[in-house]
Amino acid sequence: VLVNLGNNAVKFTEHGEVVVRVEVLESECEQIKLHFTVSDTGMGISSAEQGKLFQSFSQADTSTTREHGGTGLGLAISKKLTEMMAGEIWLESEEGVGSTFHFTVCLGVQEGDAPGRLSAASELASMRALVVDDNASSREILSSMLERFGLRIDVVDSGESALALLEQADAADPYQLVIMDWQMPGMNGITTTERIQTNQHLQALPTVIMVTAYGREEARAAAGDISISSFLTKPVTPSSLLDALMVSRGKEVFTETRAGRREEEVDAAVARLAGAKILLVEDNEINQELALELLTMKGMRVTVANNGQEALDLLEQQAFDGVLMDCQMPVMDGYEATRRIRQQARFQSLPVLAMTANAMAGDREKVLAVGMNEHISKPIQPRELFGSMARWIVPSQPLASAVEKPVVGSDSDNERQAFPDLAGINIRAGLAICGDNEDLYRRLLHKFRDQESDYVTKFTTAQRDNDAELMARCAHTLKGVAGNIGATGIQQAAAALELACQGNAAAEEFEPLLEAVVSALAVTMAGLAALEAEAPNQAAALVPDQFEGVIKRLRALLEDDDTAAAELVDELKNLPATAAYSDELSALASAIADYDFDIALDTLARVEKAIANAGD
């Protein structure tokens, strides 16, 4: 709910701020009722339009659909979720001023002792600190955090006011600490800090911690030789602020962060899964390639089935330690396949984990009802994937450890081609889903561009044939693969279209939903055009040793049925004097993408022979 409301607030606030707050309304021994607000200073919503907001397939101002994307579906889902948590959601808004969304939820209270993270702050009590920031919300947030740590706080909104207050307090009760914003009108934070440290009237110079909404390194560079204890980027968290305070006091910070613990948990899960033989049941090539790469790089052996019937056939022929099952597939879906698996006594204990782009609570119950062990939502999050798998799957032939495959090719990290800005795509999110494997992410982006360029034709054909099941599956698949590459606009638009298909919506309701998908696809496809590689230097001559080295490594990978071979095809394409064989190399890449390694080896032999003949 917070992600949805936060995204909307940012989307509709071109200039200004977004603030998220939470407070306790009621508290008992085992239950707590929380009140959240998400406030923005954006365009606001009229009274007449507010009543439409929480209805499925509606957006208060339909003229914003093309500019901002979305259909209002997220708010309908948020309403349902808050009600499921014994809460409610409502809105206060004024046109031209901004909006505040409120919602309440009732939650269980954590059992056991609370973390001892704040105990380190005990020696900070009674310190006097000054917060200097021209933004009122930022002053409130920073001061409330510091007060929780026991500090005595004053706030000012400018560098000039800070200097005056520091001089006034210096003799009787000086400030030991200043939390200084960098970019302020008039005198900025760096200039103010320099004035403080050269002020002849101050006997006790305070320690300065600088906060900035800009880059930390940019602020550090701008500060030059000025003494600043720490640089923090907004939004500042209590944990990062406390660490900065402890550093300013010369103390060792608490290093066992939640992120560090999560990373250790993932490593432990991967180690337990090394050597496991997995049956991956998935009909979409992009999802196949992503899952296959993530699993094989962690030491698992993977066999791919394109639908439920193929999965049943493979289970008759081979033994597997676990099954990753997509739910919506042609021929036979994951639900029916799992029912048939569970009907056989020998498969009663075989772990079957659902992987689906459906993430509502009811969908989880549905997969459990047919006999699956767990529900893993798409887009795939590696931490969630490995954690869920490790809870159920035990390798019959475990490896000593999961060893990452070496990087194929010779490029160093510094030589990697940087990603251009891609409209409609959150590159950071897409890379995270790919386990920060840049080469894999590039392949998925190219494959998405090639596969989904005719999406509208596929959907409208199904619509013309009145095939509601195929329409829903088209939208569902697009939602999943878009999420896996970080194309959130397409993902959200496809989700709304899928829900309409499943709800037997009237024909006229599909037009604006499909239009939203078309609009989001157009933006993303235009962004993906930036990935087109520059034409190689055709004037350069082929370097035989370089060419033969790549071919040798490529053949070894193909003989080992290793999809990392695709990376070497890209390397071949970038070699001088090979562009004339682009069709053959593209056919080679397609064979690898289809996991047809025998055809790939034959194609490679033809490429090698053609280039050799050209040299003669």
Side-chain angles (χ1 to χ4, degrees):
V1 177
L2 282 169
V3 167
N4 179 260
L5 296 182
N7 282 343
N8 285 344
V10 171
K11 186 189 303 181
F12 291 101
T13 305
E14 186 173 355
H15 301 289
E17 64 185 23
V18 175
V19 178
V20 181
R21 293 182 174 88
V22 58
E23 63 175 337
V24 177
L25 290 184
E26 301 172 10
S27 180
E28 299 178 0
C29 294
E30 298 179 354
Q31 289 286 321
I32 191 168
K33 186 173 185 179
L34 300 179
H35 172 212
F36 290 87
T37 61
V38 179
S39 304
D40 65 65
T41 56
M43 59 197 300
I45 304 169
S46 70
S47 299
E49 294 169 339
Q50 290 180 30
K52 307 175 186 177
L53 277 184
F54 297 103
Q55 301 172 13
S56 298
F57 316 122
S58 70
Q59 185 173 54
D61 181 1
T62 55
S63 67
T64 66
T65 300
R66 183 173 297 278
E67 180 182 356
H68 298 286
T71 61
L73 177 64
L75 292 177
I77 293 175
S78 296
K79 183 176 187 292
K80 180 177 179 181
L81 289 173
T82 54
E83 291 171 349
M84 291 168 66
M85 292 183 282
E88 58 181 333
I89 187 169
W90 68 98
L91 164 68
E92 297 172 353
S93 184
E94 182 179 347
E95 286 187 278
V97 176
S99 304
T100 298
F101 282 84
H102 301 256
F103 70 95
T104 59
V105 294
C106 294
L107 304 172
V109 176
Q110 175 181 324
E111 297 180 359
D113 295 331
R117 181 71 176 90
L118 295 180
S119 62
S122 58
E123 68 175 79
L124 300 174
S126 77
M127 274 184 67
R128 193 176 187 195
L130 179 63
V131 175
V132 188
D133 198 311
D134 63 300
N135 182 277
S137 296
S138 184
R139 292 196 301 272
E140 178 187 353
I141 293 167
L142 289 168
S143 61
S144 65
M145 289 181 188
L146 293 167
E147 285 171 351
R148 285 181 56 201
F149 300 151
L151 280 72
R152 295 179 293 137
I153 308 300
D154 291 306
V155 298
V156 292
D157 61 2
S158 68
E160 293 84 356
S161 298
L163 285 169
L165 201 54
L166 286 168
E167 291 182 7
Q168 180 182 332
D170 186 64
D173 188 11
Y175 291 94
Q176 290 92 32
L177 177 70
V178 175
I179 308 295
M180 181 77 71
D181 185 35
W182 175 21
Q183 296 288 10
M184 297 184 291
M187 188 187 303
N188 69 30
I190 292 175
T191 302
T192 303
T193 302
E194 184 178 25
R195 296 274 184 90
I196 291 172
Q197 294 174 355
T198 58
N199 192 320
Q200 301 298 319
H201 301 291
L202 294 178
Q203 298 300 313
L205 293 180
T207 299
V208 176
I209 295 174
M210 182 158 288
V211 297
T212 174
Y214 303 85
R216 180 189 289 109
E217 295 308 316
E218 185 180 351
R220 195 189 305 276
D225 296 331
I226 298 172
S227 177
I228 295 175
S229 175
S230 298
F231 293 84
L232 299 177
T233 53
K234 297 179 180 179
V236 176
T237 65
S239 178
S240 64
L241 180 57
L242 180 56
D243 284 347
L245 291 173
M246 299 306 292
V247 168
S248 75
R249 304 291 290 173
K251 302 294 182 181
E252 187 174 346
V253 300
F254 186 83
T255 57
E256 189 187 354
T257 62
R258 284 179 296 174
R261 290 196 297 272
R262 289 195 197 104
E263 192 66 34
E264 291 175 2
E265 291 169 0
V266 172
D267 291 343
V270 167
R272 294 197 299 273
L273 291 166
K277 188 175 181 182
I278 306 299
L279 176 58
L280 172 65
V281 191
E282 169 66 63
D283 66 307
N284 182 269
E285 290 184 16
I286 294 176
N287 293 337
Q288 283 180 359
E289 183 163 359
L290 172 60
L292 191 65
E293 189 84 9
L294 291 175
L295 298 176
T296 56
M297 287 189 68
K298 300 302 183 182
M300 285 170 259
R301 296 168 293 159
V302 184
T303 300
V304 176
N306 293 288
N307 55 62
Q309 184 58 58
E310 286 188 16
L312 294 174
D313 295 342
L314 284 166
L315 285 169
E316 291 293 328
Q317 303 164 14
Q318 304 177 42
F320 293 93
D321 299 315
V323 180
L324 294 179
M325 181 76 74
D326 186 28
C327 292
Q328 295 197 23
M329 295 176 289
V331 184
M332 181 186 294
D333 65 25
Y335 300 115
E336 180 61 25
T338 304
R339 289 190 193 96
R340 297 194 185 188
I341 289 171
R342 294 304 186 212
Q343 287 171 359
Q344 304 181 55
R346 57 185 172 143
F347 293 140
Q348 289 301 305
S349 60
L350 176 67
V352 180
L353 310 183
M355 289 204 312
T356 173
N358 292 337
M360 296 295 289
D363 299 310
R364 184 176 187 276
E365 274 74 50
K366 186 176 179 180
V367 304
L368 297 178
V370 299
M372 299 190 198
N373 298 85
E374 193 160 338
H375 173 280
I376 302 170
S377 61
K378 297 176 183 176
I380 294 171
Q381 301 297 331
R383 181 169 64 89
E384 178 192 358
L385 173 65
F386 296 132
S388 297
M389 291 178 67
R391 279 193 290 273
W392 297 99
I393 297 173
V394 178
S396 55
Q397 298 179 354
L399 298 179
S401 61
V403 180
E404 295 270 0
K405 292 183 179 179
V407 175
V408 182
S410 59
D411 290 346
S412 68
D413 288 340
N414 292 332
E415 293 172 326
R416 287 180 180 272
Q417 182 181 353
F419 280 96
D421 289 334
L422 303 177
I425 294 179
N426 185 330
I427 294 174
R428 181 177 297 180
L431 278 171
I433 290 167
C434 292
D436 290 324
N437 185 327
E438 295 184 12
D439 293 325
L440 170 62
Y441 187 43
R442 284 185 184 277
R443 295 203 304 273
L444 296 187
L445 290 172
H446 282 289
K447 185 164 287 188
F448 180 89
R449 180 199 61 199
D450 295 340
Q451 286 187 358
E452 304 303 336
S453 59
D454 63 343
Y455 175 80
V456 176
T457 301
K458 290 186 290 187
F459 184 88
T460 53
T461 299
Q463 187 178 21
R464 187 172 57 251
D465 294 340
N466 292 318
D467 191 338
E469 181 181 349
L470 180 56
M471 290 165 60
R473 190 163 67 242
C474 283
H476 176 85
T477 299
L478 180 63
K479 177 181 71 174
V481 295
N484 281 337
I485 65 168
T488 53
I490 296 175
Q491 182 185 10
Q492 293 169 1
L497 184 58
E498 179 192 14
L499 203 56
C501 295
Q502 294 171 339
N504 297 316
E508 60 270 16
E509 291 191 60
F510 285 111
E511 185 175 347
L513 296 173
L514 183 57
E515 183 181 347
V517 172
V518 171
S519 177
L521 271 170
V523 171
T524 300
M525 291 300 183
L528 289 175
L531 278 182
E532 291 295 334
E534 294 182 0
N537 179 10
Q538 295 309 305
L542 183 71
V543 181
D545 291 344
Q546 186 182 30
F547 171 71
E548 291 169 6
V550 177
I551 289 288
K552 182 178 179 181
R553 284 155 39 215
L554 179 55
R555 185 183 297 107
L557 288 173
L558 292 175
E559 290 172 348
D560 203 26
D561 294 351
D562 194 330
T563 57
E567 300 172 23
L568 285 183
V569 176
D570 291 337
E571 189 172 332
L572 271 178
K573 289 180 179 179
N574 290 327
L575 290 178
T578 58
Y581 312 98
S582 59
D583 290 344
E584 291 88 345
L585 292 175
S586 294
L588 176 58
S590 296
I592 296 170
D594 291 336
Y595 311 110
D596 198 331
F597 296 100
D598 290 335
I599 289 180
L601 282 166
D602 292 341
T603 306
L604 177 63
R606 292 199 303 273
V607 171
E608 188 175 12
K609 182 177 180 180
I611 294 179
N613 290 339
D616 295 338

